[in-house]
């Protein structure tokens, strides 16, 4: 039974030394002097703020993408012992001693380094030669823009890594499908494909382009699988279910998991709170939660409330009134009602308090037991500090003449009676008898007399309205809009009947009776919606560019400048690689179109296996370039050169594919092949030389004279190359 102990335990492994060597040089190129410069470089000022928020567990909202990428950067800070105490206020600021620069930049650098051997493996899985695979990896290794981007605390290199991992995993799964379906390795690569796709989407929304590409290729393969008559119906169904779980269900679960971890970590109130709803703010520690936690849940007749507009644009604000009245005559000559102004005010203020009154009773306090207000009830809203009723009538609003003016009614003893009855409609109710709830209920106020809906127009009133936001009665609304929806934020049960006592009560803190929490799905849904709809700063940037500028490399970005010497870092691509990659894309497209025409005439220039390999390589590489590049032409946002890097990566993979195809299938004689291969070697030498020439701007480790700087512009690189040879 113990006979196995009499023999040595032997483990054998196949090690591809090409991959080992590529990994080593990739790590060397990305990790060498990684902590230099020890200063904030370009968008590090942007991501660093979020890392500090993670370290302090303060909530923030970033509309540029999901939180997974930010969490990876924060992981580097956590591993390095970063406490979050650094003021990320300007590019070029020197990092203090408590900032672990090397650790913060480590994960992007590792992702960039591992992308080099991954490029080799992708072409090898596509069944191209070792020379083509090595060529793709070398191009990834020496491309200056990829090196620069991966050596800093930025996310593009991590996005590229997961894009390539998704493609590689699917190719390995596809190759396992031919020989070992449903084996452990088959399941591993299939599941890893879904995981990599979800990680790519979780880093930046741009990752969805590669995810859709992989899904498209998988759908085509699944369609062919359905037509395979050698497989039983049960087997085909199992294949389809496995792909659906791995490529659809797992990415959705992981995407939710990213947000779950994000929301668990960021549990404290922060500077972005006011973008979120009152319910979301109340779920965070500190801030609004200190005020609203424990408030009465059900709004009753006599409740004192503040009403926040759900829309929150152009800024979050609360229904407000004050002693001042509308001017008799507006600047354009129109007359007003001269009633007390009602506005939406973007700051906490005692004049934001209103009392919910029963029209059939005079009292402004809550009964014992309280009588809750329900959906469909008619109420009056009494301004707490002036005791005037919220009112609207057939008078044009100051800035929105198509809408009605909203005011607090002043009895001037003229022929303009009060019209102060409002019907409450709970928008997010679950039944027709739902009770109006603090924070949770989203409500509309419909004017009983005119059917106008209380609405935030978003326009800023002139100086007579103290630049506050206009509130109107909207009669011509085509349907539901968030600007018509309000929720109770602060709430307490009114106890003082006399006006002076009530004013003292309104100035005092609210009482705590009951607490509440939002579910994860409610918080996720709101956060996701805010991320997709929040407006970023689209102002013009001096380094912004257009998608057409990227292809010609007619742009660059100055990332960092040494404060005393002329050493600097630029995001600058290798023109030899960029131009050749674009040319390879054009050549591939023309050849594919030519082959399709000839195959239509039953002329097959390529053997079937070579044709399938050629099509699959084009679908993944040329398709990867297209889906990661063309959508930018439709985007209305400030764009930069680094947005092109994921697309460039797929172009780089396509370049050796085209070179091998020309050598194997278009060069007719051995002499032609030899000459072509010599040209390829010379071309790689040129690419290496330009990469080496641009290294001072890639690593920023050399002081450059003005003439040297001018010479390093890519348009002058050819002159350098010609002069030296």
């Amino acid at each position: 039974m113990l006979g196995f102990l009499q023999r040595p335990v032997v483990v054998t492994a196949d090690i591809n030394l090409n991959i080992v060597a590529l990994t080593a040089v990739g790590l060397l190129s990305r990790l060498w002097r990684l902590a230099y410069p020890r200063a904030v470089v370009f968008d590090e000022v942007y991501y660093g703020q979020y890392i500090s928020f993670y370290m302090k567990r303060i909530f923030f909202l970033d509309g540029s993408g999901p939180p997974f990428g930010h969490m990876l950067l924060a992981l580097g800070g956590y591993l390095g012992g970063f406490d979050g105490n650094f003021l990320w206020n300007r590019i070029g600021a020197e990092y203090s001693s408590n900032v672990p620069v090397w650790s913060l930049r480590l994960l992007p650098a590792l992702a960039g380094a591992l992308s080099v051997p991954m490029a080799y493996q992708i072409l090898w899985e596509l069944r191209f030669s070792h020379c083509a695979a090595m060529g793709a990896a070398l191009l990834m290794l020496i491309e200056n823009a990829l090196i620069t981007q991966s050596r800093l605390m930025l996310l593009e290199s991590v996005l590229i890594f997961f894009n390539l991992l998704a493609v590689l995993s699917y190719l390995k799964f596809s190759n396992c499908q031919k020989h070992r379906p449903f084996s452990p390795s088959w399941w591993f690569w299939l599941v890893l494909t879904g995981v990599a796709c979800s990680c790519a989407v979780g880093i930046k929304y741009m990752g969805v382009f590669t995810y859709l590409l992989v899904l498209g290729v998988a759908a085509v393969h699944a369609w062919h699988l359905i037509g395979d008559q050698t497989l039983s119906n049960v087997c085909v169904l199992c294949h389809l279910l496995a792909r659906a779980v791995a490529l659809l269900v797992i990415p959705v679960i992981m995407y939710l998991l990213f947000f779950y971890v994000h929301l668990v970590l960021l549990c404290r109130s922060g500077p972005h709170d006011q973008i979120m709803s009152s319910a979301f703010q109340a779920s965070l520690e500190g801030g609004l939660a200190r005020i609203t936690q424990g408030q009465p849940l059900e709004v009753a007749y006599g409740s004192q409330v503040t009403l926040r507009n759900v829309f929150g644009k152009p800024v979050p604000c609360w229904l407000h009134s004050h002693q001042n009245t509308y001017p008799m005559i507006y600047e354009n000559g129109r007359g007003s009602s001269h009633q007390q102004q009602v506005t939406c005010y973007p700051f906490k203020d005692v004049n934001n308090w209103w009392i919910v009154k029963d029209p059939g009773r005079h009292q402004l306090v809550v009964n014992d037991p309280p009588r809750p207000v329900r959906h469909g009830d008619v109420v009056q809203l009494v301004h707490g500090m002036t005791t005037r009723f919220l009112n609207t009538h057939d008078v044009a609003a100051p800035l929105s003449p198509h809408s009605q003016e909203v005011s607090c009614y002043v009895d001037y003893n003229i022929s303009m009676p009060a019209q102060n009855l409002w019907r409450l409609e709970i928008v997010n109710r679950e039944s027709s008898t739902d009770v109006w709830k603090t924070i949770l209920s989203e409500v509309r106020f419909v004017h009983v007399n005119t059917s106008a809906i209380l609405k935030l127009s978003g326009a800023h009133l002139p100086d007579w309205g103290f630049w506050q936001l206009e509130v109107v009665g909207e009669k011509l609304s085509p349907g539901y809009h968030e600007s018509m929806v309000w929720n109770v934020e602060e709430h307490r049960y009114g106890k003082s009947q006399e006006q002076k006592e009530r004013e003292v009560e309104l100035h005092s803190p609210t009482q705590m009776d009951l607490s509440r929490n939002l579910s994860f799905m409610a918080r996720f849904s709101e956060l996701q919606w805010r991320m997709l709809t929040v407006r970023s700063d689209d102002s013009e940037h001096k380094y912004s560019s257009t998608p057409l500028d990227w292809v010609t490399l007619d742009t660059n970005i100055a990332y960092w400048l040494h404060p005393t010497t002329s050493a600097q870092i630029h995001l600058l691509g290798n023109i030899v690689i960029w131009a050749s990659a674009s040319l390879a894309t054009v050549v591939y497209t023309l050849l594919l179109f030519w082959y399709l025409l000839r195959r239509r005439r039953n002329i097959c220039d390529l053997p079937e296996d070579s044709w399938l390999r050629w099509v699959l390589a084009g679908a993944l590489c040329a398709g990867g370039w297209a889906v990661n590049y063309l959508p930018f032409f439709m985007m209305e946002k400030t764009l930069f050169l680094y947005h092109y890097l994921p697309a460039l990566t797929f172009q780089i993979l396509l370049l050796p594919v085209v070179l091998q195809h020309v050598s194997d299938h278009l060069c007719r004689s051995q002499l032609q092949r030899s000459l072509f291969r010599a040209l390829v070697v010379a071309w790689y030498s040129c690419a290496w030389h330009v990469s080496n020439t641009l290294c001072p701007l890639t690593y920023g480790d050399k002081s450059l004279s003005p003439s040297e700087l001018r010479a390093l512009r890519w348009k002058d690189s050819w002159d350098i190359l010609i002069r030296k040879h």
Side-chain angles (χ1 to χ4, degrees):
M1 184 174 67
L2 299 179
F4 72 93
L5 295 177
Q6 300 175 2
R7 296 187 299 273
V9 177
V10 178
V11 177
T12 60
D14 292 329
I15 300 176
N16 189 328
L17 294 181
N18 287 343
I19 295 178
V20 174
L22 289 171
T23 303
V25 294
L27 290 171
L28 180 63
S29 67
R30 269 64 175 180
L31 296 179
W32 181 73
R33 297 191 68 187
L34 185 62
Y36 177 85
R38 193 174 174 82
V40 179
V41 180
F42 201 62
D43 273 356
E44 286 186 343
V45 72
Y46 172 76
Y47 291 110
Q49 299 176 39
Y50 299 141
I51 293 174
S52 289
F53 286 145
Y54 273 116
M55 297 300 102
K56 298 179 179 181
R57 307 192 69 179
I58 293 174
F59 173 78
F60 68 88
L61 184 145
D62 177 24
S64 67
F68 181 57
H70 299 83
M71 288 193 291
L72 287 179
L73 296 180
L75 176 62
Y78 174 78
L79 295 176
F82 183 41
D83 57 8
N85 292 318
F86 182 77
L87 188 61
W88 309 85
N89 58 350
R90 65 180 180 88
I91 297 173
E94 291 290 326
Y95 284 121
S96 55
S97 58
N98 68 308
V99 181
V101 182
W102 192 87
S103 178
L104 287 170
R105 294 173 179 169
L106 177 61
L107 288 178
L110 289 177
L114 295 177
S115 297
V116 175
M118 206 174 299
Y120 174 94
Q121 290 182 287
I122 288 175
L123 260 68
W124 180 244
E125 291 296 327
L126 284 169
R127 300 294 185 257
F128 286 91
S129 66
H130 279 288
C131 289
M134 183 65 73
L138 290 176
L139 293 177
M140 292 282 292
L141 175 68
I142 65 176
E143 165 45 43
N144 299 81
L146 294 179
I147 297 174
T148 301
Q149 199 71 10
S150 61
R151 285 175 47 80
L152 301 171
M153 190 171 54
L154 306 172
L155 290 179
E156 275 66 33
S157 64
V158 187
L159 173 62
I160 290 170
F161 170 80
F162 283 111
N163 282 346
L164 296 182
L165 180 60
V167 172
L168 175 62
S169 301
Y170 183 78
L171 288 173
K172 284 185 171 292
F173 157 75
S174 181
N175 290 331
C176 286
Q177 169 68 29
K178 301 173 184 176
H179 309 292
R180 301 183 305 277
F182 297 106
S183 64
S185 60
W186 184 92
W187 278 108
F188 174 79
W189 292 115
L190 177 60
V191 172
L192 185 59
T193 303
V195 170
C197 287
S198 61
C199 289
V201 177
I203 290 169
K204 284 197 171 187
Y205 288 126
M206 290 169 53
V208 77
F209 301 142
T210 302
Y211 178 37
L212 293 176
L213 174 70
V214 173
L215 279 182
V217 174
V220 172
H221 286 173
W223 182 254
H224 290 302
L225 193 70
I226 294 173
D228 188 349
Q229 297 297 322
T230 63
L231 300 176
S232 66
N233 293 340
V234 174
C235 185
V236 170
L237 181 61
C238 290
H239 275 287
L240 296 179
L241 287 176
R243 286 161 172 77
V245 170
L247 301 181
L248 295 175
V249 177
I250 288 179
V252 170
I253 293 175
M254 289 201 62
Y255 189 76
L256 291 173
L257 181 62
F258 297 150
F259 278 89
Y260 181 81
V261 175
H262 175 73
L263 291 171
V264 167
L265 292 176
L266 305 185
C267 59
R268 296 173 182 164
S269 175
H272 296 172
D273 285 11
Q274 287 202 352
I275 301 175
M276 310 305 293
S277 70
S278 302
F280 194 102
Q281 293 181 53
S283 68
L284 300 171
E285 296 176 9
L288 182 64
R290 291 182 299 179
I291 302 173
T292 61
Q293 184 180 10
Q295 292 181 148
L297 178 62
E298 296 183 348
V299 178
Y301 291 106
S303 286
Q304 299 168 354
V305 300
T306 63
L307 294 166
R308 185 180 191 266
N309 189 265
V310 171
F311 190 44
K313 294 181 180 180
V315 291
C317 62
W318 292 262
L319 190 66
H320 175 94
S321 186
H322 40 242
Q323 291 281 359
N324 301 71
T325 59
Y326 292 108
M328 291 288 291
I329 304 295
Y330 296 124
E331 291 82 352
N332 58 9
R334 288 192 299 111
S336 78
S337 65
H338 199 48
Q339 298 282 312
Q340 182 173 304
Q341 296 176 18
V342 171
T343 65
C344 206
Y345 190 51
F347 301 99
K348 303 280 189 181
D349 189 270
V350 69
N351 281 311
N352 297 346
W353 284 94
W354 299 81
I355 302 170
V356 182
K357 179 181 177 298
D358 183 349
R361 301 191 179 189
H362 293 291
Q363 64 185 35
L364 297 177
V365 296
V366 176
N367 292 335
D368 188 17
R371 287 194 304 122
V373 183
R374 302 179 182 276
H375 171 74
D377 286 356
V378 175
V379 301
Q380 292 172 314
L381 294 178
V382 182
H383 187 239
M385 296 301 292
T386 63
T387 63
R388 290 190 170 129
F389 290 74
L390 186 71
N391 185 84
T392 187
H393 34 229
D394 192 15
V395 175
L399 304 180
S400 306
H402 59 280
S403 302
Q404 292 183 180
E405 175 193 271
V406 174
S407 62
C408 279
Y409 183 73
V410 181
D411 188 3
Y412 290 121
N413 198 22
I414 59 176
S415 58
M416 183 177 285
Q419 297 182 6
N420 51 33
L421 298 179
W422 301 85
R423 185 175 65 256
L424 179 81
E425 293 184 355
I426 303 176
V427 176
N428 59 341
R429 68 187 184 281
E430 296 179 358
S431 69
S432 59
T433 59
D434 266 3
V435 173
W436 186 7
K437 295 184 176 65
T438 306
I439 291 179
L440 304 178
S441 295
E442 297 180 351
V443 302
R444 296 196 308 175
F445 295 98
V446 182
H447 192 236
V448 173
N449 298 81
T450 63
S451 299
I453 301 172
L454 189 69
K455 175 186 176 182
L456 170 67
S457 76
H460 285 272
L461 295 170
D463 55 353
W464 55 257
F466 308 101
W467 310 107
Q468 296 174 17
L469 299 175
E470 181 190 44
V471 173
V472 301
E474 180 63 71
K475 293 184 65 176
L476 305 176
S477 174
Y480 167 84
H481 192 270
E482 284 184 324
S483 60
M484 302 176 181
V485 182
W486 308 78
N487 70 271
V488 171
E489 188 169 270
E490 297 181 62
H491 174 217
R492 58 184 164 203
Y493 286 159
K495 299 177 180 178
S496 302
Q497 184 67 31
E498 296 298 326
Q499 175 63 17
K500 288 187 178 181
E501 296 177 358
R502 187 184 306 114
E503 289 181 9
V504 173
E505 184 178 83
L506 290 172
H507 278 94
S508 64
T510 55
Q511 300 297 316
M512 296 185 180
D513 302 317
L514 186 67
S515 62
R516 64 192 65 81
N517 289 305
L518 272 184
S519 67
F520 161 69
M521 286 307 299
R523 299 174 75 203
F524 163 76
S525 300
E526 180 179 345
L527 179 57
Q528 181 66 86
W529 176 249
R530 296 291 183 189
M531 289 173 62
L532 292 173
T533 57
V534 67
R535 275 195 168 276
S536 58
D537 183 13
D538 291 333
S539 58
E540 192 68 21
H541 193 283
K542 65 178 180 178
Y543 291 119
S544 63
S545 53
T546 66
L548 289 177
D549 295 331
W550 305 340
V551 177
T552 59
L553 200 52
D554 197 19
T555 181
N556 71 86
I557 304 175
Y559 270 7
W560 171 80
L561 176 65
H562 195 282
T564 57
T565 72
S566 58
Q568 50 196 282
I569 295 176
H570 284 246
L571 183 68
L572 187 63
N574 187 320
I575 184 58
V576 175
I577 297 177
W578 287 56
S580 303
S582 297
L583 179 61
T585 305
V586 174
V587 171
Y588 178 88
T589 304
L590 294 176
L591 284 175
L592 179 65
F593 183 68
W594 174 250
Y595 289 147
L596 288 173
L597 285 177
R598 289 174 62 81
R599 288 175 74 87
R600 190 63 179 167
R601 301 291 298 173
N602 288 326
I603 303 173
C604 297
D605 299 287
L606 301 176
E608 192 61 22
D609 60 335
S610 298
W611 168 250
L612 294 176
R613 185 170 66 242
W614 174 253
V615 171
L616 181 58
L620 290 174
C621 299
W625 169 81
V627 299
N628 282 283
Y629 173 59
L630 298 180
F632 285 104
F633 284 95
M634 298 178 287
M635 292 185 184
E636 296 180 358
K637 59 179 290 187
T638 305
L639 300 175
F640 297 92
L641 179 62
Y642 56 74
H643 286 120
Y644 186 61
L645 296 182
L648 174 71
T649 303
F650 285 100
Q651 265 194 326
I652 289 176
L653 296 178
L654 183 64
L655 181 51
V657 169
V658 173
L659 292 177
Q660 180 178 333
H661 182 81
V662 172
S663 175
D664 292 349
H665 299 284
L666 300 184
C667 293
R668 301 297 182 184
S669 64
Q670 187 61 39
L671 177 61
Q672 289 177 340
R673 291 191 183 93
S674 299
L675 289 174
F676 180 76
R677 290 168 183 170
L679 288 174
V680 171
V681 172
W683 173 82
Y684 269 97
S685 300
C686 290
W688 167 259
H689 181 80
V690 172
S691 177
N692 189 56
T693 302
L694 296 177
C695 271
L697 294 181
T698 301
Y699 292 92
D701 58 343
K702 179 182 177 183
S703 181
L704 300 169
S705 67
S707 59
E708 288 175 320
L709 283 173
R710 285 193 298 271
L712 287 176
R713 291 173 52 211
W714 76 262
K715 290 182 178 178
D716 301 322
S717 298
W718 294 106
D719 296 335
I720 299 174
L721 201 61
I722 293 171
R723 286 197 301 269
K724 289 188 175 182
H725 288 77

